Amino acid sequence: MSGKEGSGGFRKRKHDNFPHGQRREEKENVNPPSALMKSFKSFQLELDTRHDKYERLVKLSRDITIESKRTIFLLHRFTSAPSGEEILSESEVKLDAVRQKIKQVAQELIGEDMYQFHRAISPGLQEYVEAVSFQYFIKTRSLISVEEINKQLIFTTEDREETTNMTSNSQDKQPHRWSLKVTPVDYLLGVADLTGELMRLCISSVGNGDIDTPFELSQFLRQIYDGFTFIGNTGPYEVSKKLYTLKQSLAKVENACYTLKVRGSEIPKHMLADVFSTKTELIDQEEGLP
């Protein structure tokens, strides 16, 4: 056995005489962080920031959806409420609160490409379009345009600088401007969902003794359906998918109008809503709808 070997028969390495911490420091000094590692660190930070923003937008979109649904539920009370103006004014307050949420979305998207986060905010925007178009129809009996919706989504605020004197100048007020545009696809999907609410409005109107509203809604829904048929299968997949639901809503309203025209004089007004509900259930069973 040579002198270089230990008692166990293993040759002792030269660096075993140095402490472990000292060897690690020497290794770090020898291999400093490369430019490639720095690049990946910056990529990690950018992806984490983008992911956090995406999650915040998903939460805002969920809040927008919830508040818009509450507005729609409120507007359905318009036909049975003693004062419809109170319902409309209360719905406007709720929609203003929804727009404040959309303003936060617009602030999050400053300097960003909206289409990179479109999937996060699209459900909320569709529900907002449905709510605001439902309110607009109750007021005007017409369909709101996407341009009018986008005009309501332009937000301005003023930040006043704190000054020691009471003299006002042009630098005391700095206007800021945020805007968020509803895409044509979100608008179409929101209008497609609107038809379901109009179908429910038709049934509730008949239950309250309003015989004229179903015929008016039937003409309006027919115009919307004709407009969607022009798009056909050339549009996005979501639009063609909701076209079937739109057709079912139109069929239910037309069936209500047919019953009113043919058997309206035979059925008491307080029983019309029950008759329509039964016919609607039969249509759903024939079409295989849940």
Side-chain angles (χ1 to χ4, degrees):
M1 183 181 294
S2 62
K4 295 182 180 180
E5 297 179 355
S7 59
F10 296 99
R11 182 174 297 179
K12 196 173 183 180
R13 299 176 181 176
K14 293 181 179 180
H15 59 262
D16 286 346
N17 296 324
F18 298 96
H20 180 71
Q22 184 177 354
R23 294 200 308 269
R24 185 173 57 185
E25 292 176 359
E26 291 177 355
K27 184 177 180 180
E28 292 177 355
N29 293 331
V30 173
N31 297 322
S34 61
L36 182 62
M37 292 300 297
K38 291 181 179 179
S39 298
F40 274 97
K41 286 290 185 182
S42 63
F43 296 156
Q44 178 186 4
L45 180 61
E46 182 179 354
L47 290 175
D48 289 343
T49 304
R50 189 174 298 274
H51 177 74
D52 294 340
K53 178 172 292 190
Y54 190 92
E55 292 299 324
R56 290 195 300 269
L57 291 174
V58 168
K59 184 179 182 303
L60 287 172
S61 177
R62 190 181 301 114
D63 295 339
I64 293 171
T65 301
I66 293 173
E67 293 300 325
S68 298
K69 285 184 179 295
R70 291 175 178 172
T71 305
I72 293 173
F73 296 153
L74 173 66
L75 289 170
H76 274 296
R77 294 165 46 196
F78 178 80
T79 55
S80 60
S83 177
E85 293 298 329
E86 294 182 2
I87 298 295
L88 291 176
S89 59
E90 187 176 351
S91 65
E92 188 64 33
V93 173
K94 287 184 175 294
L95 286 177
D96 286 338
V98 175
R99 294 186 189 101
Q100 292 303 314
K101 294 288 185 181
I102 298 178
K103 177 182 178 181
Q104 297 180 27
V105 174
Q107 291 173 342
E108 289 282 354
L109 294 177
I110 293 177
E112 300 283 354
D113 184 4
M114 188 192 74
Y115 289 96
Q116 293 184 354
F117 302 93
H118 182 255
R119 182 173 294 182
I121 63 177
S122 180
L125 292 179
Q126 293 176 29
E127 200 68 30
Y128 170 74
V129 170
E130 181 181 356
V132 73
S133 58
F134 190 32
Q135 184 202 50
Y136 190 85
F137 175 81
I138 292 176
K139 288 181 177 180
T140 64
R141 297 304 192 196
S142 61
L143 182 64
I144 190 172
S145 64
V146 65
E147 290 80 12
E148 293 178 357
I149 293 178
N150 288 329
K151 286 180 181 179
Q152 299 175 358
L153 300 182
I154 299 177
F155 312 101
T156 58
T157 185
E158 292 181 353
D159 297 332
R160 292 180 174 84
E161 297 180 354
E162 296 183 358
T163 55
T164 55
N165 54 7
M166 300 299 294
T167 305
S168 61
N169 50 39
S170 60
Q171 295 181 352
D172 289 341
K173 297 182 180 181
Q174 296 180 351
H176 291 267
R177 188 183 184 93
W178 297 279
S179 63
L180 183 66
K181 290 186 177 181
V182 175
T183 63
V185 175
D186 291 334
Y187 173 74
L188 290 175
L189 295 177
V191 171
D193 292 334
L194 169 67
T195 58
E197 305 303 331
L198 294 180
M199 182 269 296
R200 296 180 184 90
L201 179 65
C202 170
I203 303 302
S204 61
S205 298
V206 173
N208 294 322
D210 187 358
I211 308 300
D212 298 329
T213 298
F215 294 94
E216 185 179 359
L217 289 173
S218 177
Q219 296 295 327
F220 183 73
L221 289 177
R222 172 58 64 179
Q223 294 176 1
I224 294 180
Y225 179 75
D226 292 341
F228 271 87
T229 53
F230 282 113
I231 300 175
N233 295 327
T234 60
Y237 170 73
E238 294 85 357
V239 175
S240 59
K241 183 178 179 181
K242 290 195 175 184
L243 183 61
Y244 179 78
T245 306
L246 195 161
K247 184 178 180 181
Q248 296 306 310
S249 299
L250 175 62
K252 293 174 183 178
V253 174
E254 289 180 340
N255 179 71
C257 294
Y258 172 80
T259 304
L260 285 174
K261 198 71 175 178
V262 176
R263 301 184 58 193
S265 59
E266 303 175 0
I267 305 174
K269 289 185 178 181
H270 67 277
M271 295 179 61
L272 287 175
D274 296 334
V275 173
F276 292 150
S277 299
T278 303
K279 289 183 174 294
T280 299
E281 292 176 358
L282 292 176
I283 293 175
D284 291 343
Q285 292 176 1
E286 292 176 359
E287 298 294 338
L289 294 177

